[in-house]
Amino acid sequence: MISGLKTGLKKLKEAGFKLTPQRRVIFEVLESSDKHMSAEEIHKRVKERYPRAGLATTYRTLDLLKELGLVTNINLGEEHKHYELAGKCHYHLVCLRCGDVIEFGSNFFGKIEKGLSKDHGFEVTDQNVEFHGYCSKCRQKGEKIDDLACGYEG
Amino acid sequence: MISGLKTGLKKLKEAGFKLTPQRRVIFEVLESSDKHMSAEEIHKRVKERYPRAGLATTYRTLDLLKELGLVTNINLGEEHKHYELAGKCHYHLVCLRCGDVIEFGSNFFGKIEKGLSKDHGFEVTDQNVEFHGYCSKCRQKGEKIDDLACGYEG
DNA sequence: ATTTTAAATGAGAAGAATTCTCAATTGGGA
DNA sequence: TCCCAATTGAGAATTCTTCTCATTTAAAAT
């Protein structure tokens, strides 16, 4: 994980931003959940801890945290933007039929990341990997699983 | 690429949907562009070829094509949903500061895909891989590029 | 070719999500 | 403690997406 509470807030401050209670709480909410949440969901939880928090602040803070690389947002399936702490390195299987999202871990990507740094001068802070397709429940019998989209050989 | 015009429309038809001019045109528009577009951009181009097309139809068709696995949507950076033909196997570097998206190719993923089929019974039709971080222009001097988020070894 | 019928469409209203505005508040340096 | 730019809350405004429903149409049946 890229940042615990202390590390994250420290980074905020180092970048010249104020440490407001709202920002603390939003960060805490993100930390306390192990799954991605919509802005609305995050705001709901923020208000439980800090009732006078405004929705706009949640949006503003999420944007700010995203720009600082502390938070990442993904957009799986039909739903709206979801946010989570950056650096969690989740990989998602998104079913196009039922919308189910299966998470899985992988350690294939470190090598690629380092290559990116070299080839493009790009500093990776987070990654979002989605495989779209059909889950076992939704797959129709007779569909060949070998019939994959990309011709890559790996 | 998963589907040329013929293949794609054939799949639509096989699934029991009608082959309307609108759907043809939307498919053509997606085919004729090599980059992902917002629904609004797609609709604009559709109307150039078929002026009385309605926006709702564009949305409906994009959803339909997505469910059929013919179109994929991604959400890079701040902007709204973008669509493109599925199976293009693009990989994106998204700069959190300037929003630039650098595309790159890779052939590391075929192996993973096949593993997914085996382990999860998941049939992959398309993939979206994003690495978030800072591009070479936006990286500040002194930032260590080795300080990557994930501890994976590859 | 004509008929038939459910699917698809266009137009604009409706609904959601996100951003903006601005007066009031506040964190944190001086 | 004082000060001031940064931040906030509230709700308006904007933008994106979906819905409604009367009309049109693809394509199967005749």
Side-chain angles (χ1 to χ4, degrees):
Chain A
M1 191 170 311
I2 192 175
S3 50
L5 184 54
K6 283 178 196 162
T7 322
L9 295 180
K10 195 178 149 211
K11 196 164 178 184
L12 241 191
K13 196 155 192 205
E14 281 171 358
F17 297 99
K18 290 182 180 175
L19 238 56
T20 65
Q22 291 89 337
R23 284 172 179 170
R24 277 174 200 280
V25 173
I26 289 166
F27 208 92
E28 281 167 23
V29 166
L30 286 165
E31 268 224 315
S32 70
S33 171
D34 56 350
K35 63 175 172 46
H36 45 83
M37 294 172 281
S38 70
E40 209 76 44
E41 281 174 291
I42 292 168
H43 183 62
K44 184 169 150 272
R45 297 196 189 191
V46 166
K47 279 183 66 166
E48 286 168 8
R49 304 190 192 200
Y50 195 88
R52 66 198 183 82
L55 178 58
T57 296
T58 296
Y59 275 104
R60 281 185 293 229
T61 301
L62 288 172
D63 273 355
L64 176 61
L65 295 176
K66 198 171 69 178
E67 205 172 317
L68 290 172
L70 296 169
V71 156
T72 191
N73 71 334
I74 54 180
N75 187 237
L76 304 170
E78 311 282 0
E79 303 162 58
H80 297 266
K81 270 186 202 167
H82 280 61
Y83 298 82
E84 65 183 4
L85 284 187
K88 289 199 171 179
C89 300
H90 282 161
Y91 305 97
H92 306 90
L93 304 180
V94 185
C95 181
L96 298 171
R97 206 161 284 151
C98 67
D100 253 21
V101 177
I102 304 163
E103 298 206 348
F104 69 101
S106 171
N107 56 1
F108 276 110
F109 292 90
K111 211 179 288 176
I112 294 175
E113 263 183 39
K114 293 202 174 124
L116 292 176
S117 303
K118 279 216 189 66
D119 298 349
H120 299 275
F122 192 95
E123 181 197 1
V124 177
T125 61
D126 190 57
Q127 52 189 245
N128 174 33
V129 178
E130 304 162 16
F131 291 94
H132 300 173
Y134 302 102
C135 72
S136 53
K137 278 179 297 187
C138 291
R139 270 174 50 222
Q140 294 167 9
K141 290 170 190 173
E143 273 186 302
K144 269 183 291 179
I145 200 152
D146 288 344
D147 194 13
L148 300 176
C150 305
Y152 291 156
E153 262 97 48
Chain B
M1 189 170 313
I2 191 176
S3 51
L5 183 54
K6 282 178 198 161
T7 322
L9 296 181
K10 195 177 150 212
K11 196 163 178 184
L12 239 192
K13 195 153 192 204
E14 280 171 359
F17 297 99
K18 290 182 180 176
L19 238 56
T20 66
Q22 291 90 336
R23 286 172 178 170
R24 278 172 198 279
V25 172
I26 289 166
F27 207 93
E28 280 167 24
V29 165
L30 287 164
E31 268 224 315
S32 70
S33 170
D34 55 351
K35 63 175 173 45
H36 45 83
M37 295 172 281
S38 69
E40 208 75 43
E41 281 174 290
I42 292 168
H43 183 61
K44 187 169 149 272
R45 296 196 190 193
V46 166
K47 280 183 66 167
E48 286 168 8
R49 303 190 193 200
Y50 195 88
R52 66 199 183 83
L55 178 58
T57 296
T58 296
Y59 275 103
R60 280 184 293 229
T61 301
L62 288 171
D63 273 356
L64 176 61
L65 294 176
K66 198 171 69 180
E67 206 173 315
L68 290 173
L70 296 170
V71 156
T72 191
N73 70 333
I74 54 180
N75 187 236
L76 304 170
E78 311 282 1
E79 304 162 56
H80 297 266
K81 269 185 203 165
H82 280 60
Y83 299 81
E84 65 183 4
L85 283 186
K88 289 201 171 180
C89 301
H90 283 162
Y91 304 98
H92 306 91
L93 304 180
V94 184
C95 182
L96 298 171
R97 206 160 285 149
C98 67
D100 254 19
V101 177
I102 304 163
E103 298 205 350
F104 69 101
S106 171
N107 56 0
F108 275 109
F109 293 89
K111 211 180 288 174
I112 295 174
E113 262 182 42
K114 293 202 175 124
L116 292 176
S117 302
K118 278 216 191 66
D119 298 349
H120 299 274
F122 192 94
E123 181 198 0
V124 178
T125 60
D126 190 56
Q127 52 188 247
N128 173 34
V129 178
E130 304 163 16
F131 291 95
H132 301 172
Y134 302 102
C135 72
S136 52
K137 279 179 298 186
C138 290
R139 270 175 50 222
Q140 293 166 11
K141 290 170 190 175
E143 273 187 299
K144 269 183 294 181
I145 200 152
D146 288 344
D147 195 13
L148 300 176
C150 305
Y152 290 158
E153 263 96 47

